[in-house]
Amino acid sequence: MGDSIRVLGTRASPRLVLLACVMLDCTGVLAMGVVATAAQSIVDSTGRGDGFPGLMATAFFLVGSLTALSVGPHVDRFGVRRTAIVAGSLTAGVGFPLLALGHPMALFAGSAATGAAFSVMLPATNAILRLALPPDRLVLGVCLKQAAIPLSLLLAGEVVSLLHLGLRETFLAADAMAVVVLAAFVWATRDARVPRRAAQELPSASERGAWRYGVATLLASLTAGALIGYASITLRATGMAEALVAHVLVVGNLAGISTRVLSGFAAQHFRLTSWWPVALMMLSGAIGTLALCSSVPAVAGVGALIAFALGWGWSGLTFALVLATSRHRPGSSGALLQAGGMLGTAVGPLVMLAASHSVGMAAGWALMAGALAGAGWLVMPTTRDRLLAP
């Protein structure tokens, strides 16, 4: 790899390490997949009202963001593999058992625990890929991992719907899966070794600049959170049929997942050395988000597709390219992005809620479009920016 932090034993297969990291990250967000699918069951079992699942999601993202900000800077010094194992243990040993109890306070605490674990799990596994993958495969590998996370949420929802298990049984089954995946991760990454001096070296200029991309990620993730909570409501308000709304959301989510993968392929094939692809995705996504202000069903529907595909599909390339320049502290640099992303996802629906009650939903989408455009402006390249080492 050409720097001082690459050391994976010869027995460790890069593809196996990638698969193990992908699976561990997927268990980290599995709780939210279950909450989204079983929201009505949670409301019925707790008697806390329709907003309680939303509070669980807020706890996941908000506590996760605070954890990434406070713990993230120490990930590299503690050890990225050790951090991932501790995070996986927190998910399997604390988060899911609390969720399985079913008590309202336990559900809230379990959501917070899984959010805290995921907030450091993802930057830690990204940093492991920084050590394990060849330089010309790093961006694609991270983009594939970022795409697998929303895909796992969609698949989790389908599986939960098909199995028809009770709420407690569902969380216990998810916990069993998390334990198996954690054991597989420990085995697959058993040869990973990171010299202590690597985590103690001073950060490079690109790593100090990670704050800039963390803020951009926060602004862009406001739209992601808003899309999760309010895209369906907005499309229905235009008069679009409920079945068509469902199709638009499914296609939009799949488009966002595909964009993550395709951007990784393009970055690898063309050896991109500029932030322009990310900036253009964000700016195009802002245009799509602005179209959600329209009361015309076709315009709003196309806008939603663009917003999902480009206004959310930037995350894979952003994480990958910041990671590619973080030679000495990949975990802490990734944690800044994770903190911004989780905070934006948590705050976005709250901003839309406030906007819808005060100035109207259209104004809320205009605000989201402005935030996404601001993020695109922040990541526009300067003469000092380089994403990939030559």
Side-chain angles (χ1 to χ4, degrees):
M1 260 197 168
D3 57 49
S4 61
I5 63 173
R6 181 199 45 134
V7 232
L8 272 178
T10 55
R11 289 182 296 169
S13 163
R15 291 182 180 179
L16 183 60
V17 173
L18 174 60
L19 179 60
C21 290
V22 166
M23 294 302 296
L24 189 66
D25 281 359
C26 289
T27 63
V29 296
L30 189 58
M32 285 300 98
V34 175
V35 169
T37 305
Q40 190 58 51
S41 297
I42 292 173
V43 170
D44 293 340
S45 64
T46 61
R48 290 299 178 98
D50 294 340
F52 188 71
L55 290 177
M56 291 174 63
T58 299
F60 178 90
F61 289 108
L62 186 56
V63 173
S65 177
L66 296 175
T67 303
L69 279 177
S70 57
V71 178
H74 309 289
V75 166
D76 299 285
R77 189 176 297 277
F78 185 68
V80 291
R81 178 176 181 266
R82 186 182 301 172
T83 298
I85 292 173
V86 170
S89 300
L90 179 61
T91 299
V94 179
F96 279 121
L98 282 172
L99 291 166
L101 291 177
H103 187 275
M105 290 303 298
L107 288 169
F108 191 81
S111 299
T114 54
F118 181 65
S119 72
V120 292
M121 178 188 293
L122 186 142
T125 52
N126 279 351
I128 290 173
L129 295 187
R130 175 75 170 83
L131 308 175
L133 298 182
D136 60 347
R137 294 291 185 269
L138 176 62
V139 172
L140 177 58
V142 175
C143 285
L144 287 171
K145 187 161 80 74
Q146 291 293 129
I149 294 171
L151 182 60
S152 70
L153 290 175
L154 291 178
L155 293 177
E158 292 299 321
V159 171
V160 170
S161 299
L162 290 174
L163 292 180
H164 298 293
L165 296 176
L167 192 60
R168 176 172 297 180
E169 290 75 14
T170 299
F171 282 125
L172 288 175
D175 190 31
M177 180 184 298
V179 170
V180 172
V181 168
L182 178 60
F185 173 85
V186 171
W187 176 81
T189 60
R190 65 195 182 282
D191 294 324
R193 298 290 184 270
V194 183
R196 184 175 299 177
R197 60 187 170 87
Q200 294 175 343
E201 294 183 18
L202 292 175
S204 65
S206 62
E207 288 157 341
R208 292 194 297 270
W211 280 98
R212 166 185 168 191
Y213 303 115
V215 173
T217 303
L218 190 160
L219 291 174
S221 296
L222 291 171
T223 300
L227 288 170
I228 294 172
Y230 288 90
S232 176
I233 297 172
T234 299
L235 293 177
R236 287 288 292 124
T238 66
M240 186 179 292
E242 186 173 356
L244 183 55
V245 169
H247 289 310
V248 168
L249 296 181
V250 169
V251 172
N253 275 287
L254 291 176
I257 293 168
S258 300
T259 302
R260 290 170 171 85
V261 178
L262 293 175
S263 63
F265 272 112
Q268 176 180 291
H269 181 74
F270 295 106
R271 299 189 60 81
L272 299 178
T273 58
S274 169
W275 276 97
W276 279 113
V278 177
L280 290 175
M281 278 193 282
M282 289 179 173
L283 294 173
S284 300
I287 295 173
T289 304
L290 193 61
L292 284 166
C293 298
S294 174
S295 59
V296 180
V299 174
V302 172
L305 292 176
I306 296 173
F308 272 104
L310 300 175
W312 201 355
W314 49 264
S315 65
L317 193 56
T318 300
F319 271 90
L321 297 176
V322 166
L323 184 68
T325 57
S326 301
R327 297 186 180 278
H328 306 303
R329 302 173 101 179
S332 60
S333 296
L336 285 174
L337 297 188
Q338 184 72 349
M342 295 189 81
L343 181 59
T345 306
V347 172
L350 300 179
V351 173
M352 286 296 294
L353 178 64
S356 64
H357 281 83
S358 56
V359 291
M361 193 77 73
W365 287 119
L367 183 61
M368 293 297 105
L372 194 49
W377 176 79
L378 273 177
V379 301
M380 281 184 183
T382 67
T383 56
R384 295 175 300 171
D385 292 328
R386 288 189 63 81
L387 294 180
L388 298 176

